[in-house]
Amino acid sequence: MEQLVDEIAALRRRLGDAVCIMGHHYQNDAVVAFCDVTGDSLELARRVPDIRARHIIFCGVHFMGESAALLASPQQSVHVPAPDADCEMARMAPAAQARAVLERLRALGRNVTPLAYVNTTLALKAVVGEFGGAVCTSANAPAMLRWALEQGDGVLFLPDRNLGRNTARRLGIPEEDQHTLALDDRGLAAGEEANPGLRRRLLLWPGCCPIHDAIPADAVSRARAAHPGCIVAAHPECAPALIDACDGNGSTSYLIKEAERLAAEATPPVFVVGTEINLVNRLAARFADRCRIVPLAPEALCPDMAKITLRHLRDTLTAVENGSAAPLRVDPALAAPARATLDRMLRACS
Ligand code: 13P
Ligand code: SF4
């Protein structure tokens, strides 16, 4: 470990301004220590156009690297140190299946605007772009859902049904206006076309983040019993029943800001945080002298985020230095429609 740290530090020094290392909040501490920029999905996407480095090393899952590659200039290259680090939720919305559903909805007379969570593949974003839609992140989902509702007679929110429902609640959209689609591999499941739910304003793709969705709602009451007077907040990828029991919910950056706010109080309460464990442990260590921060779900580890190790970072920097690194390639046919979805989000939330 020590040798790896020294090797990476030496590579960083030699590469200087040619390299910018970006990392999502769910990366482990050893990787985060080498990041020039850390952030939630929205912050990382927003930072890319201002980065001048020739090479961006993106420590996060594949879709985040793809978004960076879409927003980078043609002179820049983007490298994801572990290309097999692929968000499981993103895999739940294959582009061909989404296209089939959108085409059927159109054929059935619906003018539905697709709104894709940024946790989706580039190919899915391209389909969403073709159908006039946009992307959103957990940080701007309410603003983007409002935007999407203004575009047509309904919205298809994909792939995270939990984020979709939690956001709908925040906007006061009643359950009777929502419908979670029944799908098969090819599109709408048999019988779904006759389902009156298909006429509702908010259609939800039946995907989720297996890590956040697995946190049971009663974890909140158990945390309150264990830490009387505590404050509980969680990521909106958790199930609505859990989010309803919390004091607050929001993106990884929101959770960090809440920790900063509570730690600054004269008598900080225990702060219970429901999200990926790397972030919660880092917050607990950062504020250990001021405030007690505990995980709502100590088992909530994202195995894909964890695929990026110091060894991968060292190997990627080495390959960049000797010119053998293979940058992330964006299919030119998908680039324009996929980029349109990100541009619509950045414009709507500027
Ligand atoms: P944020 O947008 O809050 O960083 O979340 C991304 C993510 O993958 C959460 O699981
Ligand atoms: Fe994807 Fe869930 Fe991992 Fe986030 S925590 S990257 S949504 S699998």
Side-chain angles (χ1 to χ4, degrees):
M1 166 98 167
E2 226 169 89
Q3 194 194 330
L4 272 174
V5 168
D6 291 346
E7 283 180 59
I8 295 170
L11 280 158
R12 280 302 278 116
R13 269 195 305 279
R14 291 202 296 276
L15 286 161
D17 292 346
V19 155
C20 175
I21 304 178
M22 305 186 84
H24 185 263
H25 293 311
Y26 291 166
Q27 289 297 295
N28 69 55
D29 287 354
V31 170
V32 166
F34 281 108
C35 290
D36 302 300
V37 180
T38 53
D40 67 13
S41 308
L42 179 61
E43 289 164 340
L44 292 169
R46 276 206 173 119
R47 291 291 294 274
V48 171
D50 296 329
I51 290 172
R52 296 285 154 260
R54 166 86 185 74
H55 307 280
I56 296 174
I57 316 292
F58 200 103
C59 301
V61 286
H62 196 72
F63 78 81
M64 295 180 177
E66 283 183 333
S67 300
L70 267 176
L71 294 166
S73 75
Q75 292 74 38
Q76 287 173 313
S77 61
V78 175
H79 306 266
V80 177
D84 63 333
D86 190 13
C87 168
E88 202 173 333
M89 184 202 294
R91 288 198 292 269
M92 292 182 190
Q97 193 187 22
R99 178 186 293 286
V101 168
L102 285 161
E103 280 171 355
R104 273 321 289 157
L105 289 171
R106 218 177 240 183
L108 293 167
R110 295 282 331 249
N111 176 16
V112 162
T113 302
L115 181 61
Y117 190 22
V118 72
N119 294 35
T120 42
T121 62
L122 183 86
L124 187 282
K125 289 185 180 81
V127 171
V128 167
E130 271 180 53
F131 281 80
V135 295
C136 72
T137 73
S138 56
N140 64 21
M144 289 309 297
L145 181 53
R146 220 176 279 121
W147 172 89
L149 286 165
E150 284 163 7
Q151 310 302 308
D153 67 14
V155 171
L156 171 61
F157 189 91
L158 66 176
D160 187 2
R161 60 167 194 264
N162 288 342
L163 179 63
R165 290 178 66 200
N166 289 323
T167 308
R169 279 170 190 225
R170 278 174 77 156
L171 297 191
I173 299 170
E175 292 280 336
E176 312 82 76
D177 280 355
Q178 304 174 36
H179 173 65
T180 303
L181 296 174
L183 302 176
D184 63 22
D185 288 350
R186 282 163 306 159
L188 294 176
E192 184 64 354
E193 289 192 10
N195 189 330
L198 221 55
R199 313 292 327 164
R200 293 185 181 169
R201 209 147 66 100
L202 179 58
L203 301 177
L204 299 151
W205 197 266
C208 68
C209 163
I211 292 101
H212 287 88
D213 191 58
I215 306 176
D218 68 0
V220 178
S221 53
R222 281 188 274 117
R224 291 199 196 281
H227 309 287
C230 67
I231 297 289
V232 189
H235 197 283
E237 288 173 11
C238 296
L242 184 148
I243 293 298
D244 283 352
C246 286
D247 301 298
N249 72 88
S251 71
T252 49
S253 292
Y254 160 85
L255 297 170
I256 295 169
K257 285 191 194 102
E258 273 301 278
E260 288 166 351
R261 187 181 68 77
L262 293 169
E265 284 186 5
T267 327
V270 173
F271 186 32
V272 182
V273 186
T275 196
E276 212 271 352
I277 193 68
N278 275 297
L279 174 57
V280 187
N281 285 344
R282 192 172 314 118
L283 288 174
R286 178 177 160 199
F287 295 109
D289 58 339
R290 274 174 280 164
C291 169
R292 184 146 178 245
I293 296 180
V294 295
L296 183 67
E299 68 289 355
L301 174 89
C302 175
D304 282 290
M305 286 282 183
K307 282 179 182 161
I308 295 162
T309 62
L310 284 186
R311 196 171 293 280
H312 289 103
L313 186 55
R314 189 265 324 262
D315 293 349
T316 304
L317 288 166
T318 305
V320 166
E321 186 179 47
N322 66 28
S324 66
L328 210 149
R329 289 256 167 260
V330 173
D331 181 341
L334 304 179
R339 168 108 206 201
T341 64
L342 284 163
D343 287 342
R344 283 180 196 128
M345 170 184 81
L346 294 173
R347 259 200 317 273
C349 295
S350 58

